């Protein structure tokens, strides 16, 4: 995990909102018809609807969050699901509390 990438990813209000929404996905997103929201994550189409920006912008934002190690992607059929990478987030917060 590159901390500069983390800070860049979180420096945008919408990307910050996405990571916050994914902390409690059952509160912020509709229940999936198939699968489990905690296990599988949130479908990219549900994130796109909530954000209200173009699909390409949302995809770019999700890619930035994923490259920073803040979220993980899971492909199920033709859809991609996203959830927080809690292990990496924990490592980042531990490093910050120790080093800063």
């Amino acid at each position: 995990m590159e901390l500069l990438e983390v800070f860049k990813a979180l420096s945008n209000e919408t990307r910050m909102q996405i990571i916050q929404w994914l902390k409690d996905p059952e509160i912020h997103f509709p229940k999936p018809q198939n699968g489990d929201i905690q296990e599988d994550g949130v479908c990219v189409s549900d994130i796109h609807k909530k954000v209200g920006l173009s699909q390409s912008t949302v995809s770019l934002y999700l890619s930035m969050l994923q490259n920073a190690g803040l979220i993980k992607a899971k492909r199920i059929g033709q859809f991609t699901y996203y959830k927080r990478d809690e292990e990496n987030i924990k490592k980042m917060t531990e490093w910050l509390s120790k080093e800063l």
Side-chain angles (χ1 to χ4, degrees):
M1 172 178 28
E2 181 67 39
L3 281 175
L4 186 56
E5 292 301 314
V6 171
F7 291 131
K8 283 181 186 177
L10 295 176
S11 68
N12 172 282
E13 184 178 357
T14 301
R15 291 190 297 265
M16 183 73 119
Q17 282 181 321
I18 292 169
I19 198 75
Q20 289 172 326
W21 291 334
L22 290 175
K23 185 173 185 178
D24 294 307
E26 59 282 333
I27 294 172
H28 300 286
F29 296 98
K31 186 176 191 235
Q33 292 181 356
N34 300 317
D36 179 79
I37 201 166
Q38 287 293 333
E39 179 66 29
D40 299 325
V42 176
C43 184
V44 66
S45 62
D46 290 330
I47 296 170
H48 174 254
K49 286 176 196 168
K50 186 161 180 82
V51 170
L53 297 173
S54 72
Q55 185 175 352
S56 60
T57 299
V58 174
S59 293
L60 176 64
Y61 285 1
L62 292 169
S63 178
M64 289 180 75
L65 291 168
Q66 187 176 5
N67 290 338
L70 295 168
I71 62 174
K72 298 189 267 190
K74 180 178 185 177
R75 191 93 171 141
I76 302 175
Q78 64 185 20
F79 298 102
T80 304
Y81 292 77
Y82 291 93
K83 68 179 189 175
R84 287 167 48 115
D85 189 333
E86 296 297 345
E87 186 177 322
N88 271 348
I89 291 171
K90 183 180 178 190
K91 286 178 189 176
M92 178 192 70
T93 56
E94 287 172 353
W95 184 90
L96 285 171
S97 112
K98 182 180 173 185
E99 299 296 328
L100 288 182

